[in-house]
Amino acid sequence: MAPRRRRPLPQLTPEYFADVDTFARNFFRDLGGRLPASTALVFDDVHDAGAAQPLHRVLRICLEELGGLTPVIFISRSDPPDALARLRMNGRLAYLDWQALKLREEESRALVRLMTSDTELRSVAHSARLHRECDGWVAGLILLLENAGRGGKRGKASAGSAQPLFDYFAAEIFAHRPEAVREFLLLTAMFPAFTPVMAERLTGQSRVRGLLEEMVSQHHFTERHSEPQPTYQYHPLFRDFLREQALQTWGEAGRATHLRAAAAILEDGGQLEHAQALYLEATDIEAATRIILMRAPALAAAGRTGVLDNVIAQLSDAARVREPWLQYWQGVCHLATDLLAARTCFESAFRSFRGGGDAQGSYLAWAGIVDSFVFLWGDFTPMRQWIDEFDALRRDFPKFPSRAVEERAVYAIFTAHVFAAPEWDSIGKWVARAERLARQGEDPSLRIMTVASLALYYPWVGQLQRFETLMQAAAVLARSETASPFARLNVLSMQSRSSLLYGEANVARAVAEEAAAFAESSGVRVLDRAICAGLVYACAHSNDIDGARAALEKYRGLIAPGMRLEEALWSYLASFVALLSGNLHDAEARGRHAVQLARECKVPFAIAVCSLSLVRVLIQSERYDDARALLDETLPLARAIRSHLFECECALSYALLARREGDTDACLKHLRRALALAQRHGFKAFVAVDPRLLSELCSIALENKLSVSTVHEMIRAGRLAPPSDQGALEAWPWPVRIRTLGSFDLRVRDEPVRFGPKTQKKPLELLRALIAFGGREVLEEQLTEQLWPESDGDAAHRVFDTTLHRLRKLLGSDQAVVVEGGRITLNPQLVWVDAWAFEREVERAEPADPSSLERTISLYPGAFLSRESAAWMSPMRERLRSMFLRAVERLGRIHEANGRTHDALECYRRGTEADPLAEALYCLLMLCYEQLNRHGEGLATYERLRAALSSQLGVKPSRQSRELQERLRSAAGVASA
């Protein structure tokens, strides 16, 4: 069934319990691929399952997956269940009832002729009577013929039922046997199946195989199975008959004695399940308990916790109380169905183990208690008490009973600390041991669970390098041949979270969607909530608010009553999405609820996460006092748990708060602290920080030249767009940077685009024209008329589309140039143009502020596309030139008014260097020289003006300039005399 080259068939372990149907589909598909073409799959005694609806659904799925490929046969004494009705209606399931299976009269006559040479029996009349008496039952007809051959009497069966005839023949077979044989039959009927050796041991008789073979050959309700050794089994109805006879013969006490003897033989033979059933039937509780505890680990590992729970439930309350291991295994069974009940069982077992000095039981029961908290994600308030209990356990049992127990305990104590006591003084000594377990543990499932706990802890405290190294090891483990779907799903969930930490929202979303699809296809649904949370984050950071809301809604439907910590996380995410949507009222209400729940659950990391999120909402809502008070509570918590990440987020929030309150010095102080932490610990993205707020802080940092390289990494990782009022910020790491003032320069991701002989001219020309026409919502017709005047209509549109495609390729992004409704825009979130930065600075400049005007002038190194001569460039060129000249003149006159003639002179001189044809500036410059009695330099300035106008425009200086020249010449002559 499972060749070496294949994995074994999957077992129905607890992670599949939430979606048994999907597990069943995958199971039967896998099974169908392994079965030889000639195989038929037979389910016998289906009636023994009773009215269990889940099993009926599994049978239906079996038919749906295997029907048509592998014959599937169900044998049952009851009618097909309702779950199979649809398959019967569409012809995929054929139903053969008792009437269909009965022999017809002519078939009975043929069977009689085949089995006997007795003339009387072969007669038509006699055959007809035999047929009526057995009512078409094949086995009954054979027994009637054998009985008649021995001269026996014939019984009569009721119409439509073989049961009375069966009872008659069973009695006949039993009654006509010698007493020793009857004793043999009664004793061996205790076994569900048995070998001759087992029969000899139980009955004390020898040479039993001959008797059994006789029973088989005479069709006396006995079957023989040959593999791996001859095994015999009575027909279920015959066995029931014999067991009833045994009760009548021996009485209850005698029957119990023989049941215990048979159970002991089964136990010795390793047939623990059957031995356990017989011990229970014999009310030998001590022996039954022993077998249950022997079977429990294997049953639990195979996911058969329902079977184990049902068996334990057959014991009395007193028996369960006496044996703490029964309570422990009941707790294990309830972990998948009722976590509070599981905790009660584990706690009771723990008290008994501790009282009895059982180290192994104490550690395992304690770990089960931790599981009940972690799986529920509810109130962790009592967890600290259990951490104290663990410390007491370590004092009482400093040496772990085994490596397996040690690994189980290390996982549990570390995870307990992560949720309830992550302060370094408490958790510090367990971190390294948990990581060692994650890398070298014996149990692959426990290793994955430990990785999952570390994957929560490391990012929270800001140890991203350790987290990344751990993720790589986990990915290798998940790819191994023995890895379970649960392991693979855990790794996918962690990879999604890892991508978010590095700002890769699109990757995070793709991985989360892959995880969701794999969960659905595999039937492993235990991580659905974590996957939904990851999708909320990823969609939110991908600007897909509708997608985030849809994931939130699905997430909410997965939260069961009592999952209060899960409710806190949901409320926190709902607050974050509301903040991104601009709904500050809902964001604050959800955020406050999240903080309240996190505090009630007593989970420090959750308190910090929810509090920091609420702080940012309060700042946006201008509730500055509330925000500061909450920050003052959160920072000490972040430091206590040594969370560099949360401390960094606190510093960012303090900086944002100071910015909104107008305290620039405090803002920069906190921003320096935050960036220092980010640089030291590699923080590049913050999964629950509004990108707009982070962008605002990054802008401030760049303006003040704080940790520029770190800020650039954060911007690139988070794909942050500059604040809407900061489009002029040249220090922002723009994907595309274009200079048009003075000379033309194009850089993509800070790499210059070289314009060689083979450079595509038309895409660059389109780019220049787009900027010249303003760069925003420029009509396609306007561009095509100027660039391709010889083309019109469809031809112009086709050449435009081709050139646009080439331009986008040149800029490295389709999003760099946006086309909507026939209007073309250079994306201001991806593309920086120096002309736009200059215009924005002119708009922002304070007319009476020299430093503001100085900054404006510095952004204009020369005329717009000065080397281009196309007429369509002139309007933009002249507009920018006019702005520049006004700014220079305004600044120069401010300097003059304040008596700073030298500063004014320098201002005018820089202006003439940027615009050699700005005659007005030359005049102002000459006036400054005149005031400073530097007449010679004034005359030299006039000569530069005259030469520039003559060479470039073919004109002479204006009358005002010539008069000023004469005045300087005259003054220079007087001075020289």
Side-chain angles (χ1 to χ4, degrees):
M1 190 67 70
R4 290 183 181 178
R5 68 179 182 276
R6 290 184 177 174
R7 294 183 180 183
L9 286 168
Q11 295 181 326
L12 184 60
T13 43
E15 61 263 30
Y16 295 105
F17 286 1
D19 192 358
V20 174
D21 287 7
T22 299
F23 172 85
R25 291 195 183 282
N26 292 331
F27 179 90
F28 286 115
R29 286 171 188 167
D30 193 352
L31 177 63
R34 299 166 186 251
L35 295 175
S38 59
T39 303
L41 191 62
V42 180
F43 293 81
D44 200 0
D45 294 332
V46 174
H47 53 270
D48 284 345
Q53 291 298 322
L55 178 62
H56 294 164
R57 291 203 312 272
V58 170
L59 296 179
R60 185 199 72 222
I61 291 168
C62 173
L63 282 175
E64 290 173 346
E65 295 300 326
L66 296 180
L69 301 174
T70 300
V72 180
I73 302 170
F74 300 136
I75 302 176
S76 175
R77 298 180 204 163
S78 57
D79 290 336
D82 293 341
L84 302 181
R86 182 171 57 83
L87 293 174
R88 289 184 64 188
M89 290 178 61
N90 61 28
R92 296 187 64 184
L93 174 65
Y95 173 45
L96 299 178
D97 61 7
W98 170 239
Q99 296 299 322
L101 291 172
K102 289 194 301 184
L103 294 175
R104 297 189 301 274
E105 185 173 341
E106 60 270 23
E107 292 171 332
S108 294
R109 285 200 302 269
L111 184 59
V112 170
R113 288 195 300 271
L114 180 66
M115 292 194 63
T116 182
S117 59
D118 188 302
T119 305
E120 182 182 356
L121 293 177
R122 290 168 63 108
S123 68
V124 174
H126 218 109
S127 296
R129 187 170 68 250
L130 289 172
H131 175 76
R132 289 192 300 273
E133 288 179 358
C134 72
D135 196 26
W137 180 32
V138 177
L141 178 58
I142 294 172
L143 288 168
L144 280 172
L145 288 170
E146 291 181 349
N147 190 50
R150 293 194 299 268
K153 296 182 292 184
R154 295 186 296 274
K156 294 184 179 180
S158 301
S161 172
Q163 185 66 48
L165 185 60
F166 182 94
D167 292 343
Y168 163 74
F169 278 118
E172 284 287 300
I173 291 170
F174 184 73
H176 288 87
R177 295 287 180 176
E179 182 178 350
V181 174
R182 292 201 301 271
E183 182 77 6
F184 175 87
L185 293 174
L186 295 180
L187 286 169
T188 52
M190 302 295 107
F191 294 125
F194 55 93
T195 64
V197 173
M198 293 169 61
E200 290 174 356
R201 181 176 170 186
L202 179 62
T203 65
Q205 300 181 25
S206 59
R207 300 194 305 183
V208 301
R209 187 164 184 175
L211 171 60
L212 293 168
E213 286 298 320
E214 178 187 340
M215 298 278 289
V216 172
S217 64
Q218 292 178 355
H219 307 289
H220 284 178
F221 309 121
T222 306
E223 299 175 354
R224 181 187 64 244
H225 304 283
S226 300
E227 295 180 1
Q229 56 181 318
T231 302
Y232 298 87
Q233 185 175 10
Y234 297 133
H235 189 286
L237 294 177
F238 186 49
R239 184 174 180 236
D240 290 345
F241 168 83
L242 291 174
R243 286 166 66 86
E244 180 62 31
Q245 291 296 314
L247 180 60
Q248 295 176 16
T249 303
W250 299 327
E252 193 65 56
R255 179 173 172 273
T257 299
H258 294 305
L259 282 169
R260 284 194 293 271
I265 295 170
L266 289 167
E267 181 180 351
D268 291 345
Q271 297 186 48
L272 299 184
E273 182 175 358
H274 296 311
Q276 167 195 289
L278 295 189
Y279 280 133
L280 285 171
E281 191 176 353
T283 65
D284 188 341
I285 302 305
E286 182 179 346
T289 298
R290 184 182 68 251
I291 299 297
I292 290 171
L293 296 182
M294 290 172 62
R295 297 182 63 212
L299 287 173
R304 299 180 65 192
T305 51
V307 173
L308 178 58
D309 192 36
N310 289 336
V311 170
I312 295 175
Q314 294 178 44
L315 301 174
S316 65
D317 291 342
R320 291 196 293 271
V321 170
R322 283 195 305 271
E323 177 49 73
W325 280 109
L326 290 174
Q327 299 168 44
Y328 169 78
W329 287 112
Q330 268 197 309
V332 171
C333 294
H334 291 322
L335 277 176
T337 56
D338 188 340
L339 289 165
L340 294 179
R343 187 180 307 165
T344 299
C345 293
F346 286 132
E347 289 175 348
S348 179
F350 177 81
R351 287 191 293 270
S352 297
F353 285 134
R354 289 283 280 137
D358 187 331
Q360 177 174 338
S362 297
Y363 278 119
L364 292 179
W366 182 88
I369 293 168
V370 172
D371 285 345
S372 72
F373 281 100
V374 174
F375 293 171
L376 183 60
W377 264 55
D379 183 1
F380 283 80
T381 303
M383 183 67 86
R384 283 186 178 267
Q385 165 201 337
W386 288 106
I387 291 174
D388 293 340
E389 285 282 359
F390 185 83
D391 293 338
L393 271 182
R394 297 299 296 136
R395 290 191 296 271
D396 292 347
F397 308 113
K399 185 177 181 180
F400 288 108
S402 67
R403 179 175 176 181
V405 171
E406 178 181 3
E407 291 183 350
R408 185 77 177 83
V410 167
Y411 159 75
I413 187 61
F414 173 71
T415 304
H417 275 296
V418 168
F419 283 96
E423 298 84 359
W424 182 252
D425 292 343
S426 299
I427 199 174
K429 61 186 175 183
W430 296 108
V431 174
R433 296 185 71 170
E435 184 165 331
R436 188 161 58 250
L437 168 59
R439 295 177 182 278
Q440 303 170 5
E442 292 182 335
D443 183 346
S445 295
L446 192 59
R447 287 175 64 187
I448 285 292
M449 291 168 65
T450 308
V451 168
S453 293
L454 285 163
L456 286 175
Y457 177 74
Y458 277 150
W460 279 347
V461 297
Q463 295 190 28
L464 298 188
Q465 185 58 52
R466 283 184 175 274
F467 173 66
E468 198 58 33
T469 303
L470 191 69
M471 281 298 306
Q472 294 170 3
V476 172
L477 182 62
R479 287 195 297 269
S480 69
E481 289 187 2
T482 58
S484 66
F486 175 69
R488 181 182 168 192
L489 198 57
N490 249 304
V491 170
L492 285 172
S493 179
M494 290 184 281
Q495 286 174 336
S496 177
R497 194 181 319 145
S498 173
S499 299
L500 284 170
L501 291 171
Y502 290 96
E504 299 169 341
N506 292 333
V507 175
R509 181 171 185 174
V511 175
E513 288 173 346
E514 180 185 353
F518 183 67
E520 185 171 351
S521 65
S522 67
V524 179
R525 311 312 296 260
V526 292
L527 294 178
D528 279 5
R529 296 189 301 277
I531 293 169
C532 279
L535 274 174
V536 174
Y537 281 126
C539 290
H541 283 280
S542 302
N543 296 318
D544 182 4
I545 300 302
D546 289 340
R549 290 196 185 105
L552 260 179
E553 191 63 28
K554 182 178 180 182
Y555 181 15
R556 187 171 197 172
L558 297 171
I559 301 175
M563 293 181 170
R564 298 173 67 202
L565 183 60
E566 203 79 64
E567 290 178 31
L569 179 58
W570 184 90
S571 296
Y572 143 79
L573 286 173
S575 172
F576 178 51
V577 172
L579 175 63
L580 295 180
S581 305
N583 189 340
L584 293 178
H585 178 271
D586 279 2
E588 183 176 343
R590 299 288 192 194
R592 289 188 183 278
H593 186 55
V595 171
Q596 177 187 346
L597 286 172
R599 286 173 174 170
E600 291 173 357
C601 291
K602 296 290 194 298
V603 178
F605 280 123
I607 295 171
V609 167
C610 296
S611 296
L612 285 167
S613 180
L614 178 57
V615 162
R616 292 185 283 269
V617 173
L618 293 172
I619 292 173
Q620 288 295 83
S621 301
E622 300 182 0
R623 297 178 181 271
Y624 301 141
D625 291 341
D626 289 351
R628 181 176 290 101
L630 189 53
L631 265 178
D632 291 344
E633 291 178 22
T634 307
L635 181 58
L637 174 60
R639 288 173 173 165
I641 59 182
R642 290 198 180 183
S643 174
H644 306 300
L645 175 65
F646 294 157
E647 191 176 351
C648 180
E649 288 194 27
C650 283
L652 288 172
S653 295
Y654 274 121
L656 185 63
L657 180 59
R659 162 80 166 186
R660 297 299 169 81
E661 292 182 325
D663 189 341
T664 301
D665 291 340
C667 175
L668 295 179
K669 180 188 77 172
H670 292 301
L671 198 49
R672 285 190 189 92
R673 172 63 180 162
L675 294 173
L677 286 167
Q679 183 176 9
R680 187 178 310 129
H681 299 287
F683 304 148
K684 297 179 180 179
F686 302 89
V687 296
V689 178
D690 185 341
R692 295 166 298 189
L693 303 183
L694 193 56
S695 174
E696 180 181 347
L697 293 173
C698 287
S699 175
I700 296 168
L702 292 176
E703 283 183 334
N704 291 274
K705 297 181 174 57
L706 303 180
S707 303
V708 172
S709 61
T710 299
V711 175
H712 280 183
E713 286 182 358
M714 291 169 63
I715 292 171
R716 292 191 181 102
R719 291 178 172 79
L720 300 179
S724 56
D725 62 343
Q726 289 293 320
L729 188 60
E730 184 178 356
W732 197 269
W734 301 93
V736 179
R737 193 184 296 269
I738 305 170
R739 294 191 179 277
T740 59
L741 300 176
S743 59
F744 181 78
D745 181 74
L746 171 63
R747 293 174 184 263
V748 176
R749 294 181 180 84
D750 292 332
E751 291 296 324
V753 177
R754 304 296 180 187
F755 307 124
K758 296 184 179 180
T759 301
Q760 300 173 350
K761 303 297 184 183
K762 278 300 181 183
L764 290 176
E765 192 173 1
L766 174 60
L767 178 62
R768 294 187 185 105
L770 187 55
I771 297 171
F773 290 124
R776 294 174 178 83
E777 297 189 346
V778 181
L779 289 171
E780 179 184 328
E781 291 83 355
Q782 189 176 6
L783 293 168
T784 55
E785 285 176 3
Q786 298 298 332
L787 299 179
W788 299 280
E790 70 284 356
S791 302
D792 57 10
D794 291 342
H797 178 69
R798 284 194 299 272
V799 71
F800 170 80
D801 276 350
T802 300
T803 307
L804 175 62
H805 173 73
R806 293 161 62 193
L807 174 59
R808 284 171 165 167
K809 186 175 180 181
L810 187 68
L811 300 181
S813 171
D814 286 348
Q815 286 74 45
V817 185
V818 179
V819 179
E820 188 172 334
R823 297 177 181 271
I824 297 84
T825 298
L826 275 177
N827 190 339
Q829 294 186 347
L830 300 178
V831 180
W832 179 86
V833 180
D834 61 350
W836 297 352
F838 173 70
E839 286 183 284
R840 191 178 295 261
E841 197 61 43
V842 169
E843 294 171 359
R844 292 176 54 187
E846 295 290 337
D849 181 5
S851 61
S852 177
L853 290 169
E854 185 73 43
R855 187 166 56 249
T856 302
I857 292 170
S858 68
L859 296 177
Y860 188 91
F864 176 72
L865 296 175
S866 58
R867 298 182 182 179
E868 302 295 332
S869 58
W872 43 263
M873 296 187 183
S874 296
M876 178 65 128
R877 180 181 293 159
E878 289 306 313
R879 185 162 63 85
L880 295 175
R881 179 173 181 270
S882 176
M883 290 179 179
F884 171 71
L885 294 177
R886 286 197 300 272
V888 171
E889 184 175 349
R890 188 176 294 122
L891 178 59
R893 292 196 182 280
I894 290 173
H895 287 321
E896 289 186 70
N898 292 328
R900 296 195 298 271
T901 307
H902 285 92
D903 290 341
L905 184 148
E906 181 62 23
C907 175
Y908 298 142
R909 185 188 63 77
R910 284 170 51 204
T912 59
E913 289 176 353
D915 188 346
L917 300 179
E919 187 173 2
L921 294 185
Y922 281 97
C923 291
L924 292 170
L925 181 57
M926 287 187 285
L927 286 171
C928 286
Y929 280 127
E930 184 181 37
Q931 291 179 33
L932 295 172
N933 291 320
R934 293 162 61 179
H935 307 103
E937 292 173 85
L939 290 172
T941 300
Y942 176 82
E943 285 302 317
R944 288 199 304 277
L945 169 64
R946 184 189 62 77
L949 293 176
S950 175
S951 63
Q952 295 190 38
L953 301 179
V955 298
K956 295 179 179 180
S958 66
R959 175 180 171 183
Q960 179 185 1
S961 298
R962 293 197 301 273
E963 289 176 353
L964 185 53
Q965 180 215 21
E966 289 297 327
R967 201 162 69 227
L968 287 168
R969 181 180 295 166
S970 174
V974 170
S976 62

